Amino acid sequence: MAASKLAAEPAKQYYSYNQIHALIQSSIPSFKDVPDALVAISGGGLIPARILRTLLKARYKKTVPIRVIGLQLYDDDAEHIGATGVKRTQWPCADEWGDVRNVLLVDEVDDTRTTLEYAVENLRRDLGKGVSIGVFVVHNKLKEKRGTLPKEVEYIAALDVEDLWVVYPWDAVDIEEHQQKCDEQR
Amino acid sequence: MAASKLAAEPAKQYYSYNQIHALIQSSIPSFKDVPDALVAISGGGLIPARILRTLLKARYKKTVPIRVIGLQLYDDDAEHIGATGVKRTQWPCADEWGDVRNVLLVDEVDDTRTTLEYAVENLRRDLGKGVSIGVFVVHNKLKEKRGTLPKEVEYIAALDVEDLWVVYPWDAVDIEEHQQKCDEQR
């Protein structure tokens, strides 16, 4: 009984805030150009985007503005479901994009790629063909993806990981207990 | 020379991510009701709002949706300046608010209160008189404020602090160096 329960639960990988911050910093050398807008996918992308803004500023001496899009995968509460199973909860109005030429989508984890596919398609529709779109995620899970990204989309993952359960610090209730688990896994 | 330079620079108070997370957790008992939407003021409110969502869910068993408003105080880059010196960079469309009755504005620090005053006034205009508006900040600086909040606005600060320079971990470039400064100040 205990053994089968263990087998059914995916192993958890704990990350501290400082580890995430350092991971994002380690990915900065991969940027060919500084984007002129960060597009955070809420809720997962909010914290990585805010950290990324600081690190891009230190590297490129430019404050890159953040815009937020609210997306969630289909669940029972969803009222407006797109064909892909993605619900849109917030999206900037046309004049809020400004004169962007090079945007970078930001999320915490690339799991099935469904949300990222939806976001790229809809950004492309809003921003037109001339705008370059990139994707940045903290973790990319090495697994078969349901969504796909166009070839021209530059893709940066701070870290590739196995298909485990990634536990982010912002999902912790007791942050000291979470930190202890991170320390034990180091 | 060295002494006058020291006198001119406000002292810095460093906070680690874990300290901020624990601070926000300590403020949860102050909530009379669970809000039905968190309104994060970008960029400062993005990280506190995401943490708050987790902690409210643990306490109230409800996922409170996050909406983001982008506000920045007047600077030379600003193109659209309101009378108060606040520039609006992102604001939800009418149908993105949903059926909210009780919203909570979230920011990192209440310094001059100018941004919070602007946000409350403009939320009130959008949401109507029947909607309850609260304010949550991680730090409230004990100083004379330029902005004011209506009496009926419930106000929660996780911590009151002197008028010092609060250094947030998401503004750090080297997070280990930042952590070291936090540890030294404990």
Side-chain angles (χ1 to χ4, degrees):
Chain A
M1 187 66 186
S4 73
K5 187 161 186 293
L6 272 175
E9 271 200 2
K12 292 181 180 178
Q13 273 187 318
Y14 292 86
Y15 285 88
S16 71
Y17 284 110
N18 288 6
Q19 283 174 313
I20 301 281
H21 193 111
L23 258 181
I24 296 175
Q25 192 186 19
S26 73
S27 67
I28 298 292
S30 309
F31 286 85
K32 276 185 287 190
D33 298 299
V34 56
D36 47 31
L38 298 175
V39 181
I41 301 181
S42 177
L46 296 178
I47 291 181
R50 182 61 191 79
I51 295 171
L52 194 52
R53 195 183 76 173
T54 292
L55 299 169
L56 288 174
K57 182 167 187 186
R59 168 76 185 279
Y60 295 99
K61 315 296 172 211
K62 189 189 156 194
T63 300
V64 184
I66 297 174
R67 295 292 176 272
V68 175
I69 60 178
L71 296 180
Q72 58 187 70
L73 284 175
Y74 174 82
D75 64 38
D76 291 338
D77 292 335
E79 287 161 27
H80 311 286
I81 310 298
T84 54
V86 175
K87 178 187 173 188
R88 200 194 263 217
T89 59
Q90 183 171 6
W91 196 272
C93 313
D95 66 348
E96 289 172 346
W97 288 116
D99 186 25
V100 294
R101 309 307 305 154
N102 178 14
V103 302
L104 186 69
L105 260 171
V106 181
D107 208 349
E108 57 186 2
V109 64
D110 176 5
D111 185 23
T112 64
R113 205 161 280 176
T114 310
T115 314
L116 288 170
E117 178 184 287
Y118 177 94
V120 168
E121 276 178 6
N122 284 271
L123 277 181
R124 174 63 70 219
R125 206 164 296 160
D126 267 27
L127 301 175
K129 287 198 174 170
V131 173
S132 157
I133 299 178
V135 164
F136 173 84
V137 292
V138 180
H139 291 106
N140 171 39
K141 287 194 185 175
L142 296 169
K143 62 190 285 187
E144 206 181 325
K145 306 291 189 182
R146 269 183 270 148
T148 52
L149 297 174
K151 264 177 293 181
E152 72 272 14
V153 167
E154 193 193 356
Y155 180 91
I156 299 172
L159 193 67
D160 288 332
V161 290
E162 299 302 311
D163 186 14
L164 302 171
W165 182 348
V166 180
V167 188
Y168 290 103
W170 45 88
D171 284 320
V173 176
D174 184 330
I175 195 63
E176 293 198 10
E177 189 183 297
H178 181 90
Q179 183 68 51
Q180 205 177 325
K181 286 174 180 163
C182 296
D183 293 342
E184 284 165 9
Q185 282 191 345
R186 274 192 129 157
Chain B
M1 186 67 187
S4 74
K5 188 164 184 290
L6 274 174
E9 269 199 4
K12 291 181 180 178
Q13 273 187 319
Y14 292 86
Y15 285 87
S16 71
Y17 283 110
N18 288 7
Q19 284 173 312
I20 301 280
H21 193 110
L23 259 181
I24 296 176
Q25 192 186 20
S26 73
S27 67
I28 298 292
S30 309
F31 285 85
K32 276 186 287 190
D33 299 300
V34 57
D36 47 31
L38 298 174
V39 180
I41 301 180
S42 177
L46 296 177
I47 292 182
R50 182 60 191 81
I51 295 172
L52 194 53
R53 195 184 76 174
T54 292
L55 298 170
L56 289 174
K57 184 169 185 184
R59 167 74 186 280
Y60 294 99
K61 315 297 172 210
K62 189 189 156 193
T63 300
V64 184
I66 297 174
R67 295 293 175 272
V68 175
I69 60 178
L71 296 181
Q72 58 187 69
L73 283 175
Y74 174 81
D75 66 37
D76 291 341
D77 292 335
E79 286 162 27
H80 310 286
I81 310 299
T84 54
V86 175
K87 179 187 172 187
R88 201 193 263 218
T89 61
Q90 183 170 5
W91 196 271
C93 312
D95 66 346
E96 289 173 347
W97 288 116
D99 186 26
V100 294
R101 309 307 305 155
N102 178 13
V103 303
L104 186 69
L105 261 171
V106 181
D107 208 349
E108 57 186 0
V109 65
D110 176 4
D111 185 24
T112 64
R113 204 162 280 175
T114 310
T115 315
L116 288 169
E117 178 183 287
Y118 178 94
V120 168
E121 274 177 7
N122 284 270
L123 278 180
R124 174 64 68 217
R125 206 165 294 162
D126 266 30
L127 301 175
K129 287 197 174 172
V131 172
S132 158
I133 300 177
V135 165
F136 174 84
V137 293
V138 181
H139 291 104
N140 171 39
K141 288 194 185 173
L142 297 168
K143 63 189 286 188
E144 205 181 323
K145 305 292 187 180
R146 268 183 272 147
T148 52
L149 296 174
K151 265 177 292 181
E152 71 272 15
V153 167
E154 194 192 354
Y155 180 90
I156 299 172
L159 194 66
D160 288 331
V161 289
E162 299 302 311
D163 186 14
L164 302 172
W165 182 348
V166 179
V167 187
Y168 290 103
W170 44 88
D171 284 322
V173 176
D174 183 330
I175 195 63
E176 292 197 11
E177 189 183 297
H178 180 91
Q179 183 69 51
Q180 204 178 325
K181 286 175 180 162
C182 297
D183 293 343
E184 285 165 8
Q185 282 193 346
R186 271 191 132 158

